[in-house]
């Protein structure tokens, strides 16, 4: 079946612009995660949803970052007033959350470049 | 979640087995060892996970020491397409638990 998809794959924004990044998880997956990966670093956790509920947003770096998953499937990560330090690859992962099967599957990521 | 220590980089020859070590000396009894890899410009890919028994799947084998303080990921016949950064992660097995990535091991498979 289809894996996790993300769009756009690449986004260039001018400093101060707002951006919206989309994640389509694997169909039926209850859990959805967002990670941020700076160049040359491992991914870092941003936020976690179980269905439509955002249960953990401890990794969001500032109040300019906002994520939503209103119907418990597609999720959007929004960054307001982008700064150069927001340049990174944003990864989305989903998992089924069934007992014993919590493996997270990742999408290809969105590479955000803020000029 | 327990911290892991991996070598920064390693080379291996195409067709040979690649053995990737990971130390996790502070692992607790109910924490699992997970391995992911990330090929250039792609998202991380799940490889394998285990608790205390050795595990094998179509991609790799995972050998966990009896005291669970270290483990080794074995790629039995490395190919050029196995060139990637390999991450060893220790975490509790629950749906909402995030993955905490370290620096990983950059593996270069050479012809």
């Amino acid at each position: 079946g289809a894996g996790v998809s993300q769009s756009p794959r690449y986004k260039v924004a001018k400093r101060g612009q707002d951006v919206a990044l989309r994640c389509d998880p694997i169909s039926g997956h209850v859990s959805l995660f967002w990670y941020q990966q700076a160049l040359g670093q491992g991914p870092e956790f941003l936020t976690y949803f179980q269905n439509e509920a955002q249960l953990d947003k401890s990794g969001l770096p500032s109040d300019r970052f906002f994520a939503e998953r209103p119907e418990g499937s597609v999720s959007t990560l929004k960054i307001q007033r982008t700064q150069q330090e927001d340049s990174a690859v944003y990864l989305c992962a989903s998992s089924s959350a069934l007992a014993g099967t919590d493996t997270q599957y990742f999408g290809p990521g969105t590479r955000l470049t803020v000029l | 979640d327990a911290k892991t220590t991996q070598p920064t980089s390693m080379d291996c020859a195409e067709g040979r087995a690649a053995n990737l070590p990971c130390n996790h000396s502070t692992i607790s009894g109910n924490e699992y060892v997970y391995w992911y890899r990330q090929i250039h410009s792609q998202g991380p890919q799940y490889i394998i996970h285990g608790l205390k028994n050795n595990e094998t799947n179509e991609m790799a084998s995972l050998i966990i020491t009896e005291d669970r303080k270290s483990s080794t990921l074995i790629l039995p016949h490395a190919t050029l397409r196995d060139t990637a950064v390999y991450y060893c992660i220790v975490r509790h097995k629950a749906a909402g638990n995030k993955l905490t990535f370290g620096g990983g091991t950059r593996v270069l498979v050479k012809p």
Side-chain angles (χ1 to χ4, degrees):
Chain A
V4 178
S5 61
Q6 293 185 245
S7 61
R9 288 294 315 278
Y10 303 91
K11 177 68 179 178
V12 178
K14 292 183 179 179
R15 189 173 54 185
Q17 282 185 331
D18 298 348
V19 298
L21 312 179
R22 177 186 169 108
C23 171
D24 283 83
I26 293 172
S27 178
H29 275 195
V30 169
S31 298
L32 186 146
F33 299 79
W34 284 98
Y35 293 83
Q36 179 191 58
Q37 186 171 24
L39 188 64
Q41 306 294 317
E44 292 190 354
F45 169 79
L46 292 176
T47 188
Y48 160 63
F49 288 86
Q50 184 178 84
N51 295 305
E52 69 278 3
Q54 189 175 17
L55 299 185
D56 187 350
K57 52 182 180 180
S58 61
L60 295 177
S62 77
D63 58 7
R64 296 186 296 103
F65 286 71
F66 172 76
E68 60 183 6
R69 193 185 185 198
E71 298 180 357
S73 57
V74 171
S75 177
T76 304
L77 177 66
K78 298 179 179 179
I79 308 174
Q80 298 177 323
R81 305 180 302 282
T82 53
Q83 305 294 315
Q84 286 188 323
E85 61 263 28
D86 300 335
S87 294
V89 175
Y90 291 86
L91 295 160
C92 176
S94 70
S95 69
S96 70
L98 294 175
T101 58
D102 73 331
T103 299
Q104 293 182 31
Y105 296 94
F106 284 80
T110 295
R111 181 177 296 278
L112 172 65
T113 302
V114 181
L115 303 177
Chain B
D1 291 332
K3 183 177 178 180
T4 62
T5 303
Q6 300 177 251
T8 303
S9 64
M10 63 184 295
D11 295 345
C12 64
E14 185 181 19
R16 304 293 294 271
N19 297 301
L20 282 60
C22 179
N23 287 323
H24 31 79
S25 58
T26 60
I27 192 171
S28 64
N30 57 358
E31 287 182 309
Y32 285 70
V33 180
Y34 285 76
W35 283 84
Y36 279 75
R37 73 179 182 183
Q38 189 170 25
I39 296 169
H40 183 63
S41 296
Q42 297 183 21
Q45 177 189 22
Y46 166 78
I47 301 174
I48 199 168
H49 74 279
L51 182 62
K52 52 185 175 182
N53 296 323
N54 297 337
E55 302 287 344
T56 296
N57 63 20
E58 65 279 4
M59 290 183 67
S61 294
L62 174 60
I63 308 299
I64 302 173
T65 57
E66 191 169 345
D67 63 7
R68 302 211 319 124
K69 293 184 177 182
S70 65
S71 60
T72 301
L73 180 74
I74 301 172
L75 307 178
H77 304 286
T79 71
L80 300 180
R81 288 176 293 181
D82 291 323
T83 291
V85 178
Y86 287 76
Y87 295 100
C88 171
I89 299 166
V90 173
R91 67 187 279 266
H92 295 282
K93 196 179 190 188
N97 280 354
K98 63 190 178 188
L99 295 167
T100 302
F101 292 82
T105 297
R106 189 171 299 274
V107 174
L108 176 61
V109 180
K110 295 182 174 181

